[in-house]
Amino acid sequence: DAGITQSPRHKVTETGTPVTLRCHQTENHRYMYWYRQDPGHGLRLIHYSYGVKDTDKGEVSDGYSVSRSKTEDFLLTLESATSSQTSVYFCAISGRGAAFFGQGTRLTVV
Amino acid sequence: DAKTTQPNSMESNEEEPVHLPCNHSTISGTDYIHWYRQLPSQGPEYVIHGLTSNVNNRMASLAIAEDRKSSTLILHRATLRDAAVYYCILRGNNNDMRFGAGTRLTVKP
């Protein structure tokens, strides 16, 4: 395994509540990414980070915020969850070469 | 951002070679070509990447066209465990990585 852990692995939350997903790495990689994947679709980039406190938006960043206060942790926050944010969320880490993905977090917003 | 185009699906017979194509006609000189695959109910898995020269590793080979506007992922002997969605992506200087729909590979016994 590439030293990447996502938590929680499963979560059910109610519409309108805040939710934070955590991605933790032990590889000291510079780049970290958050994606969402909906049934039958590929991955869509939400936000990514290229260093501590350095982040940028991806394709589907509306409704999501991120923070990276230290190298090993990249947090994804849904400020007010909506049913359209029900999805599987993947975190990835990378240095200059290959990227490695976590096992995913299945989030259901009811 | 540069984009890639892949066939939606391909089929292969077990133990035969598979050539998965990818077009990236707007690639820039500093974009690396990456391939990942995603098995059912799993996160994506790195396969191979390259810049200009052909690359080989234990999983696959990557053949890059001389003009770099296309590339081909080669699985030398497909197994049932190679059935997955294969993604070709470009990674540029800003290091964001955007995935398309990929190619769903079916391997028939």
Side-chain angles (χ1 to χ4, degrees):
Chain A
D1 288 342
I4 176 172
T5 305
Q6 291 185 231
S7 60
R9 293 291 313 279
H10 301 271
K11 186 169 182 67
V12 180
T13 192
E14 293 185 350
T15 299
T17 60
V19 177
T20 295
L21 308 183
R22 180 186 185 223
C23 179
H24 178 77
Q25 64 153 326
T26 58
E27 304 295 323
N28 202 37
H29 282 324
R30 177 180 179 183
Y31 303 101
M32 299 184 76
Y33 307 81
W34 276 109
Y35 295 89
R36 62 176 287 174
Q37 186 170 36
D38 300 303
H41 291 82
L43 289 89
R44 290 185 291 173
L45 180 65
I46 305 172
H47 283 278
Y48 68 103
S49 170
Y50 47 96
V52 173
K53 298 185 180 178
D54 291 324
T55 65
D56 207 347
K57 295 180 179 180
E59 307 163 86
V60 290
S61 58
D62 288 349
Y64 301 95
S65 63
V66 290
S67 67
R68 191 168 178 200
S69 59
K70 46 186 178 178
T71 299
E72 56 265 37
D73 287 326
F74 192 32
L75 304 180
L76 177 71
T77 297
L78 291 66
E79 300 291 348
S80 177
T82 67
S83 59
S84 65
Q85 294 176 312
T86 293
S87 190
V88 178
Y89 291 85
F90 287 101
C91 175
I93 63 173
S94 177
R96 285 285 184 190
F100 301 96
F101 287 77
Q103 289 299 101
T105 294
R106 184 173 297 277
L107 176 68
T108 302
V109 184
V110 299
Chain B
D1 290 332
K3 297 189 185 302
T4 62
T5 304
Q6 299 177 252
N8 290 334
S9 62
M10 292 185 64
E11 285 190 352
S12 172
N13 294 318
E14 195 175 13
E15 298 190 4
E16 290 186 354
V18 182
H19 291 232
L20 297 164
C22 181
N23 288 319
H24 28 78
S25 58
T26 59
I27 190 171
S28 72
T30 55
D31 287 340
Y32 281 79
I33 302 159
H34 283 240
W35 283 83
Y36 293 83
R37 71 180 186 181
Q38 188 173 23
L39 280 64
S41 301
Q42 294 190 23
E45 173 188 33
Y46 168 78
V47 178
I48 200 166
H49 77 283
L51 183 62
T52 56
S53 304
N54 294 344
V55 184
N56 301 294
N57 66 20
R58 64 175 180 81
M59 290 182 69
S61 295
L62 175 60
I64 301 172
E66 195 169 337
D67 64 5
R68 297 205 335 120
K69 294 185 177 182
S70 65
S71 61
T72 302
L73 179 70
I74 302 166
L75 307 179
H76 295 285
R77 288 181 73 237
T79 70
L80 297 178
R81 289 179 297 177
D82 290 323
V85 178
Y86 287 77
Y87 298 98
C88 165
I89 68 171
L90 301 180
R91 181 172 178 179
N93 284 337
N94 64 359
N95 285 286
D96 80 357
M97 297 192 303
R98 304 190 181 203
F99 288 67
T103 297
R104 181 174 299 278
L105 175 66
T106 301
V107 180
K108 297 182 289 184

